[in-house]
Amino acid sequence: MRRSVAAAAVVVLAGAGLLGTAGSAGAATGTAAASGATECSVAWGSKAKSATNATSAPLKNITTSGTTCYDRMVFDISGARGKLGYHVGYVDAFHQDGSGERIPVKGGAILEIFVSAPTHDPATGRQTYAAEAGKSLPGVHLDGYRTFKDTKFGASFEGQTQVGLGVRAKLPFRVLQSGDTLIVDVAHTW
């Protein structure tokens, strides 16, 4: 009896698009990813997306994963409460926040991501995410990704962290929050 109830729950969750596949960045959600369907429907658009909230909780890590329909970047801001602030949009060139220095990013388009969280603990000054300006994100390897082509760390300046994400082309993207993580998904196609 318990097996049939569990099996029914899996079928219901999969049908509702709530059952995902695990990746290094967390669960990927969506009906296509859950059911294994190869047809992807995204209506996210490619215009800039923003939320003006801020947190004093620091950025701890950045990870990536891929699904059938999109590539995903996840910003771990452990301990953040409430809505997270961000600004994500396409730019012609990636310039370091603060200095204005140009940082080359490979790909057909550049998605500039600002997350309203520093890379250090404001109470102690201790670094929480060890990245260097102009360098690739530590621990992020993009071999085999369909859409993601390059990453560059811009800066952690005045309470926000800047990342340049090189993508194959100017493609639709979305920004989501799940608990204390900020998620940026970039579709493989229109």
Side-chain angles (χ1 to χ4, degrees), residues 73-177:
M73 179 173 278
V74 177
F75 297 81
D76 175 10
I77 309 165
S78 297
R81 300 185 193 280
K83 297 286 184 189
L84 298 171
Y86 60 86
H87 179 80
V88 182
Y90 284 103
V91 294
D92 293 330
F94 185 60
H95 295 273
Q96 183 181 31
D97 194 24
S99 74
E101 183 178 329
R102 186 169 188 271
I103 298 172
V105 181
K106 296 174 190 164
I110 302 168
L111 199 57
E112 183 174 50
I113 304 167
F114 285 98
V115 178
S116 298
T119 59
H120 65 278
D121 185 330
T124 65
R126 184 181 63 83
Q127 187 174 27
T128 57
Y129 181 68
E132 292 183 51
K135 304 287 185 187
S136 297
L137 299 179
V140 174
H141 305 286
L142 300 180
D143 293 339
Y145 281 78
R146 287 183 56 194
T147 297
F148 291 174
K149 298 300 174 194
D150 193 17
T151 64
K152 289 293 191 291
F153 185 76
S156 183
F157 183 70
E158 296 185 349
Q160 67 180 3
T161 298
Q162 176 195 32
V163 170
L165 176 60
V167 295
R168 184 173 42 78
K170 190 173 181 180
L171 294 162
F173 69 93
R174 67 180 175 183
V175 182
L176 309 166
Q177 182 177 341

Side-chain angles (χ1 to χ4, degrees), residues 35-67:
S35 68
T38 57
E39 193 170 318
C40 300
S41 174
V42 289
W44 306 333
S46 60
K47 292 189 178 184
K49 296 159 181 59
S50 296
T52 57
N53 305 313
T55 181
S56 60
L59 175 70
K60 301 283 176 76
N61 199 16
I62 301 174
T63 56
T64 58
S65 64
T67 72

